[in-house]
Amino acid sequence: MSTQSQLHYAGFWRRTLASLIDTLWMMLLIAPLLVYFYGWEYFDPYQSPPLDGIADLLLTWVAPAVAVILFWRAKQATPGKMAVRARVVDAGSLQKPGNGQLVIRYLGYFLATVPLCLGLLWVAFDPRKQGWHDKLAGTLVICDPAPAPAAELPSAAEGQA
């Protein structure tokens, strides 16, 4: 049996859960910093957001991009993908993607969301569960197999027999 046929692609719902986990941890890290720099008014929908703040640009655009790409580079997964036992691989070699692929994949998220998130929903219908960002970057998201259960230890009663 070939390696390709043994692959288990991470599907839409698994990837959605991973994305929600990633959004949560990113918010928990970034929101306090935004409050520190801009105060609670930053989150007031009736106030204009700061358009000239370098901290805003760095915290809401640059830091998330750097964090996600660094996680992909080091672990082939963000914390959300690690939680659902999934990882990003090169579609051809099934090895770690290159840096260029990871940058293209991240930027591809923006293209995938523009037309009503169709590029993200594509994961649900694609045979290899690739979103548009995966297709652009030549990547796949695969599931790691569940660890084998540990052998049960004999109970104390069995040990005394």
Side-chain angles (χ1 to χ4, degrees), residues 8-161:
H8 180 70
Y9 303 115
F12 179 79
W13 292 113
R14 180 181 293 242
R15 290 173 70 165
T16 298
L17 177 59
S19 179
L20 290 172
I21 293 168
D22 288 336
T23 299
L24 180 63
W25 74 261
M26 196 75 73
M27 283 176 33
L28 290 173
L29 291 174
I30 293 174
L33 294 170
L34 289 170
V35 170
Y36 174 78
F37 286 106
Y38 299 107
W40 286 103
E41 297 79 27
Y42 183 87
F43 299 101
D44 184 347
Y46 300 107
Q47 298 230 0
S48 297
L51 298 177
D52 60 345
I54 188 74
D56 184 47
L57 173 72
L58 292 174
L59 291 172
T60 60
W61 292 95
V62 176
V66 170
V68 167
I69 291 170
L70 286 176
F71 267 111
W72 285 340
R73 189 76 216 129
K75 301 287 188 180
Q76 289 182 266
T78 56
K81 280 192 179 41
M82 286 186 259
V84 300
R85 304 189 55 76
R87 61 190 169 97
V88 179
V89 297
D90 175 79
S93 69
L94 303 179
Q95 300 299 312
K96 273 187 166 184
N99 292 335
Q101 281 178 288
L102 298 177
V103 170
I104 291 168
R105 186 173 197 274
Y106 190 85
L107 295 174
Y109 277 130
F110 297 102
L111 294 174
T113 58
V114 170
L116 304 172
C117 294
L118 184 60
L120 300 176
L121 293 171
W122 202 262
V123 171
F125 305 104
D126 188 80
R128 296 193 329 165
K129 305 300 180 196
Q130 287 179 294
W132 292 356
H133 54 291
D134 291 309
K135 291 184 179 294
L136 284 169
T139 58
L140 294 170
V141 179
I142 59 172
C143 297
D144 289 327
E152 289 189 31
L153 298 174
S155 68
E158 291 173 1
Q160 293 175 354

